[in-house]
Amino acid sequence: MSTPETTETAALAEETAGHGDISVGVAGSSNSGEATASATRITPGNALRPEDIALAVSRGTAKPSEDAAELALRLGDDALILAQRLGHWISRAPELEEDIALGNIALDQLGHARSFLSYAGGLDGRSEDDLAYFRREHEFRSVELFEQPNGDFAVTIARQFVVSYYQFELYRRLAQSTDATLAGIAAKAVKEVDYHRDHSAQWVLRLAHGTEESRTRMIHGFKVIWPYVDELFRDDELTARLSESGVAVQPSSLRADFDRLTGEVLAEAELDVPQVPAAPGGGRRGFHSEHLGYLLAEMQVLAREFPGASW
Amino acid sequence: MYVSHPTAAAVAGENPPREQKTAEQKAWDLAATVCDPEIPVLTIEDLGILRGVKVTKEPDTADGGMVPAVQVTITPTYSGCPAMDAIRDDLTTAFNNAGYPRVDVELVLSPAWTTDWMSESGKAKLQQYGIAPPSGHSAAARHAGPIRLSLAVKCPQCSSLNTKELTRFGSTSCKALYVCQDCKEPFDYFKVL
């Protein structure tokens, strides 16, 4: 806060103790001056900061367990990277309404990312901004699907269609999590993702049943995107532990519903499920396609150039 | 003592009787004067964004006396709703001006906001303002394929049901854009969530 009121600072100091003692240091800057500097404040001095977001009704969210924090990081990174990709469409979509729609979907994703990353950072005292702007490529835990380039409009719709159906199944179950914070974020997100699902499904039908050209592009869009579907549903040691403790289900258990529901739409669009080999996909371990570096360079440049800047 | 939103507890009627206003209820009423910056005719109480108000006394560092401290809980309509920052500022200002030097605004995500929390008077105000209020109740997220049937939305200008959705995603996260086929006017519709 650049113009803190003393009373508020005292109250906040007391409050942050309950939030896993989040103090935000701007990486590599010794004179940030204020322990709560943020690179994304809209209203300097009095904007909502991660430590204001209590995700449980009770005061003072509990610190996440290491495993829950890692899961929150994965899901937060997925949503963050997609929000950045979708934001690129603003002013470039085929029609004004679609500009607004993709911008709105990006905003929802960014909201989910902020909640997940704030929670993940609670483990070791990093803020959402530290995680978004000051991590390097290999520290991101998003799967490769989310960083795939926008391509033409049909590629973006194919990617959004897969993402929305996957996220819907994921959040629907995560809303039952034994981790109250993750459950709260997911219960909120699932209702928003339901709109995303409907929007992308309608575009799939429209393009597939449109003109020769739009149908050709929709088929191509799915062919480009489908290799990255498998990685969404891969289990690993972390997900095994989380499903033991009831925090989250195994990703593989979402596959049947995903296949059935996307299959219904594809059948209605008279499209076949693409028969393409799966990409290796190491996003959860920090191995990414060549596309992520460029995306991060653009997303992080301002925060790294002017650490602690606000507008 | 914690006053929670009237819809959160199963309280019958819009406004529970308040002959003797407690400090908490006074604070609630004050918080309820703050409007949504994107829909200036609706208060945060009308919208169901205001979830709780708590008043405590804290020692004043200046003279050792006690000053009232308020803790307000709000919930965003949508996860990425940018109005939250403005609402927080407005709440702080409103309380500071009313003699509450310490205000703490907290954002909660759970239980998730739904249009079902919008008050009837809020829906009427929306209609008068030219925004079609949410029609029907929110279904918990469906688990069927896409359903491409939409309920008719009434035009807030001429009350015609002959309206068409132009875009599901409109000027704000919470609204869709419609057009009336009879009076030809475009209007916003507050989406059911």
Side-chain angles (χ1 to χ4, degrees), chain B:
Chain B
M1 146 89 191
Y2 188 79
V3 178
S4 67
H5 194 269
T7 52
V11 177
E14 276 289 295
N15 288 309
R18 292 179 184 170
E19 294 89 15
Q20 299 248 305
K21 283 197 179 169
T22 61
E24 231 93 30
Q25 283 161 338
K26 279 189 198 140
W28 174 282
D29 291 348
L30 183 61
T33 60
V34 170
C35 290
D36 183 308
E38 288 172 332
I39 315 163
V41 287
L42 287 193
T43 70
I44 56 175
E45 182 186 42
D46 290 332
L47 277 162
I49 288 175
L50 180 61
R51 302 307 293 158
V53 178
K54 201 172 163 185
V55 183
T56 52
K57 287 249 187 278
E58 282 184 8
D60 186 0
T61 43
D63 61 3
M66 297 296 269
V67 291
V70 189
Q71 190 210 327
V72 187
T73 316
I74 56 177
T75 191
T77 53
Y78 281 72
S79 298
C81 179
M84 287 295 129
D85 282 336
I87 288 172
R88 181 181 191 235
D89 287 351
D90 293 348
L91 278 166
T92 307
T93 308
F95 277 102
N96 287 349
N97 292 346
Y100 298 85
R102 295 186 191 173
V103 190
D104 172 25
V105 180
E106 198 173 87
L107 200 64
V108 294
L109 293 184
S110 185
W113 181 86
T114 162
T115 34
D116 297 351
W117 291 346
M118 196 183 288
S119 66
E120 287 309 314
S121 68
K123 287 181 185 174
K125 281 192 250 179
L126 266 187
Q127 177 89 15
Q128 284 165 355
Y129 186 60
I131 298 174
S135 55
H137 285 279
S138 110
R142 305 184 311 264
H143 192 235
I147 298 171
R148 278 171 299 280
L149 274 177
S150 55
L151 293 170
V153 172
K154 197 196 287 183
C155 168
Q157 265 82 244
C158 71
S159 299
S160 162
L161 287 174
N162 184 15
T163 59
K164 189 175 95 183
E165 180 183 84
L166 284 180
T167 170
R168 174 74 47 90
F169 296 92
S171 56
T172 65
S173 292
C174 51
K175 299 201 284 280
L177 183 65
Y178 273 65
V179 65
C180 175
Q181 316 267 55
D182 286 336
C183 73
K184 309 294 182 208
E185 287 289 330
F187 63 92
D188 269 336
Y189 166 60
F190 206 106
K191 287 185 287 197
V192 172
L193 186 77

Side-chain angles (χ1 to χ4, degrees), chain A residues 60-73:
Chain A
T61 310
K63 255 171 99 158
S65 66
E66 267 184 49
D67 283 352
E70 180 69 16
L71 177 68
L73 196 64

Side-chain angles (χ1 to χ4, degrees), chain A residues 9-30:
Chain A
T9 314
L12 280 169
E14 199 176 296
E15 189 191 326
T16 47
H19 289 283
D21 198 19
I22 299 173
S23 60
V24 183
V26 177
S29 159
S30 57

Side-chain angles (χ1 to χ4, degrees), chain A residues 53-56 61 72 75-76 108 111-120 171 174-175 179-193, chain B residues 79 108-110 112:
Chain A
I53 300 178
L55 298 159
T61 310
L75 304 184
D108 286 344
H112 309 158
R114 290 188 63 186
S115 298
F116 280 125
L117 294 179
S118 297
Y119 187 49
Y171 294 152
L174 194 61
D179 181 304
T181 306
L182 291 175
I185 300 171
K188 182 111 198 89
V190 74
K191 301 203 291 179
E192 294 159 15
V193 168
Chain B
S79 298
V108 294
L109 293 184
S110 185

Side-chain angles (χ1 to χ4, degrees), chain A residues 10 26 55 59 69 91 114 120 127 140 147-148 179 187 190 198 205 252-253 278 297-298:
Chain A
V26 177
L55 298 159
R59 285 190 50 88
S91 83
R114 290 188 63 186
S127 74
F140 277 81
E147 71 211 33
Q148 290 311 303
D179 181 304
V190 74
D198 194 43
L205 293 169
S252 58
S253 69
E298 186 171 45

